[in-house]
Amino acid sequence: MDVQLKRGLLDVCVLAAIKSEDSYGYKIIKDMKPYIKLSESTLYTILKRLEAAHMLSVRTAEHGGRLRKYYHITEEGLKRIEEFKVEWKEILAIYRFVTKEEDGNE
């Protein structure tokens, strides 16, 4: 898969994982596991990129005697999810075009 396309898909997946509630690294990975395998190093790279793009905000809180970073989706992050939904329709149309001969729908 194209690296840029995959990066964009993973970014949106991470945003979707925290859309309904603030979350932290391990929980994000756990929540995404049924859909996609994501390493910690990849996740934290994505989180940093999304934070730099103002799609996430971060707060630190104590949990079990340790500090834990909690990630919160911002308006920019919610906007990106909505943009992705529109873009996905176009990607599906392209997919249908590319695979139409395989489906016998010439």
Side-chain angles (χ1 to χ4, degrees), residues 41-78:
S41 61
T42 299
L43 174 65
Y44 287 107
T45 299
I46 293 168
L47 291 169
K48 286 179 186 177
R49 182 170 54 246
L50 293 173
E51 183 183 5
H54 307 289
M55 292 185 204
L56 295 179
S57 60
V58 182
R59 68 178 169 85
T60 304
E62 188 175 331
H63 178 80
R66 296 179 56 192
L67 291 179
R68 177 184 282 172
K69 285 186 176 182
Y70 287 88
Y71 298 89
H72 175 80
I73 193 166
T74 64
E75 287 299 318
E76 282 296 314
L78 292 170

Side-chain angles (χ1 to χ4, degrees), residues 2 4 7 17-19 39 42-43 50 54 58 63 65 69 80 97:
D2 178 73
Q4 293 294 357
R7 180 189 305 189
I18 63 169
K19 182 180 174 184
S39 70
T42 299
L43 174 65
L50 293 173
H54 307 289
V58 182
H63 178 80
K69 285 186 176 182
R80 178 63 194 115
F97 175 76

Side-chain angles (χ1 to χ4, degrees), residues 2-16:
D2 178 73
V3 174
Q4 293 294 357
L5 178 59
K6 188 172 184 177
R7 180 189 305 189
L9 292 172
L10 290 175
D11 286 0
V12 173
C13 287
V14 170
L15 290 170

